[in-house]
Amino acid sequence: MTLISEHIETDTREKILVVAERLFRQIGYQKTTVADIAKELRMSPANVYRFFDSKKAIHEGVARGLMGEVEQAAQTIAAGRGPAASRLRELMKTVHRMNTERYVGDSKLHEMVEIAMQEDWDVCVTHMLSITETIGSIVSQGAATGEFEVADVPLAAMCACTGMMRFFHPQMIAQCATKPGPTIDEMIDFVIAGLSPRGKAN
């Protein structure tokens, strides 16, 4: 395959995902058909299937793109400067804000996430691993400077991510919004206190 044809294929795949995301937002994942996507792109359904072998594959591609944007935002914060605790707080609040805006505030996209979670797609698992690893990179930096006291960085990162699940997981954000519980800042304070040297909490 030539570079030009590879570029055309990549461009077409991207166009399919852009249109699919727009239709998922407008009419919902369940109601959107591959024929609808093909019609918007002025191509045949068979042509769409050349790039994605199923509607689920298209859905997975859309989810991967949305989650990838959250991962990129988290990685940018982790790579920044300043105290590890400040960057960890910013990362956690950013993941919460982006997932709330994208999925909880948009009922059609929330439906898409629910289906993804029910089917346990690898893309969801990969996303959580990425966020956990990015949290781990900040924890590791904090441990190296003495800001954090951590014996096992990967375990600490998993515990921190699990502790924040109420504020990270789209379904839990929606379900817990009106339930009793700590605020996001209170939960982050608790996580950071657990990472800080004994007798010193940020």
Side-chain angles (χ1 to χ4, degrees):
M1 187 182 291
T2 66
L3 286 175
I4 292 175
S5 60
E6 282 181 359
H7 176 73
I8 291 171
E9 290 230 347
T10 301
D11 190 49
T12 302
R13 283 179 63 87
E14 186 59 35
K15 285 179 180 176
I16 291 170
L17 292 177
V18 168
V19 168
E21 181 183 338
R22 188 174 78 242
L23 290 176
F24 292 165
R25 286 177 183 273
Q26 289 174 349
I27 61 178
Y29 171 69
Q30 297 280 32
K31 292 181 179 178
T32 301
T33 66
V34 172
D36 291 330
I37 296 168
K39 184 178 179 182
E40 286 284 316
L41 289 162
R42 296 182 180 178
M43 62 171 66
S44 68
N47 202 20
V48 173
Y49 283 121
R50 281 184 53 232
F51 298 93
F52 295 93
D53 61 11
S54 65
K55 179 183 168 184
K56 177 181 172 181
I58 297 172
H59 186 178
E60 197 166 330
V62 171
R64 177 70 248 153
L66 290 166
M67 292 176 186
E69 290 171 7
V70 178
E71 291 162 18
Q72 183 59 55
Q75 289 161 10
T76 298
I77 292 166
R81 297 185 177 184
S86 297
R87 283 181 287 134
L88 186 58
R89 182 181 299 277
E90 184 184 356
L91 182 154
M92 289 174 165
K93 294 191 80 165
T94 297
V95 171
H96 173 67
R97 176 180 53 77
M98 291 182 77
N99 282 345
T100 300
E101 290 173 353
R102 287 152 179 270
Y103 306 119
V104 181
D106 189 324
S107 61
K108 297 293 193 299
L109 278 188
H110 186 67
E111 172 201 5
M112 190 181 90
V113 172
E114 284 186 316
I115 293 166
M117 296 298 178
Q118 287 164 10
E119 298 192 9
D120 195 28
W121 287 346
D122 289 342
V123 68
C124 299
V125 176
T126 301
H127 173 64
M128 288 314 303
L129 286 174
S130 174
I131 295 297
T132 302
E133 286 174 4
T134 305
I135 288 173
S137 71
I138 297 180
V139 172
S140 179
Q141 293 162 27
T145 62
E147 188 179 345
F148 294 150
E149 186 179 304
V150 179
D152 186 330
V153 170
L155 177 60
M158 281 192 289
C159 288
C161 198
T162 301
M164 293 301 299
M165 201 56 63
R166 173 185 177 122
F167 300 99
F168 284 1
H169 192 303
Q171 286 177 299
M172 292 188 73
I173 293 171
Q175 290 169 1
C176 296
T178 57
K179 304 288 191 299
T183 66
I184 185 168
D185 281 307
E186 288 169 341
M187 193 67 225
I188 294 172
D189 287 343
F190 184 82
V191 170
I192 291 174
L195 296 170
S196 300
R198 302 301 163 257
K200 177 191 172 186
N202 293 313

